[in-house]
Amino acid sequence: PADDTDAIRVLPTPTPLIVPGTDALLAPTFAAFLHPRFPFRSRLRRRALRVVAAAATAVRASVTAATTATASLQGTGGALGCGPTAAAAAAAAAASNVGAALDRNVWPALAALLEADFPARGGGGSGSNGGGNSDNDTLPLDGGYHVSTSQPIGGSGPFAPAGSGCTRYAIEAAARTIAALLKCGAWGWGRAEREVLAPHTPGNFWKV
């Protein structure tokens, strides 16, 4: 019969799924590439949205790997040494750090980008602080100053009437980001419902 050492050897060890420094990359300056306040070309904005989607996917995978490893440790009584335990903790910590950066820096800009294509969202409860993304919202940038979304750049306005030019990418990145924030515990279901249903409330949705 197999002994405890056989169980230890086959334990799954979480593979590092998040590149070190990802949370630092998702800084306010990166979020500026998403925010409609800045007239970046849609091609550049789509590339930034791909980075966000990839980071969100990595968060979900890391949390899943850490949870699986922890469950395996518990199933063997916990006498397994520090290798898998440390790897699971590192995966969970990395996911938490990236999730916090997505919530703090990326989501406000991403919500504003969605509002560019769906202006009605501005009247609901969207935004990192629970308020709407109005024309008076500001985007924090490195250096401690703010740029108001109410002031157009070069007299051209934040967007042409056609909208962001990357609606599908924005929706996909938003969906993955919300899933990642739920997975890592940065958001609860109530917050996710408010963001998905904005400008409507969950009560209005379920009444329909």
Side-chain angles (χ1 to χ4, degrees):
D3 56 20
D4 289 340
T5 58
D6 293 327
I8 294 173
R9 283 196 293 269
V10 300
L11 275 176
T13 299
T15 302
L17 300 172
I18 296 179
V19 177
T22 301
D23 54 330
L25 171 64
L26 301 175
T29 46
F30 173 85
F33 288 103
L34 306 176
H35 204 284
R37 170 66 177 86
F38 302 95
F40 291 112
R41 293 182 180 274
S42 58
R43 179 180 298 178
L44 179 59
R45 210 178 298 276
R46 286 196 296 267
R47 291 176 178 174
L49 288 167
R50 289 192 188 102
V51 172
V52 172
T57 300
V59 167
R60 293 179 61 195
S62 291
V63 173
T64 299
T67 301
T68 301
T70 300
S72 298
L73 291 172
Q74 293 173 346
T76 55
L80 303 171
C82 63
T85 304
S96 178
N97 290 338
V98 175
L102 286 170
D103 183 25
R104 181 178 61 253
N105 301 327
V106 173
W107 180 256
L110 186 54
L113 186 63
L114 290 171
E115 185 183 327
D117 290 306
F118 306 100
R121 285 181 57 87
S126 182
S128 61
N129 297 319
N133 293 305
S134 68
D135 288 340
N136 294 322
D137 283 351
T138 56
L139 176 67
L141 300 176
D142 288 348
Y145 59 89
H146 293 72
V147 177
S148 172
T149 58
S150 63
Q151 299 298 323
I153 293 179
S156 58
F159 271 110
S164 68
C166 51
T167 304
R168 181 173 64 86
Y169 289 82
I171 293 174
E172 177 68 20
R176 295 194 187 196
T177 298
I178 292 173
L181 293 172
L182 285 169
K183 189 74 172 181
C184 71
W187 283 11
W189 280 107
R191 172 68 188 278
E193 278 188 322
R194 289 196 303 271
E195 298 292 357
V196 170
L197 298 175
H200 307 289
T201 65
N204 292 336
F205 175 79
W206 291 114
K207 285 178 182 179
V208 175

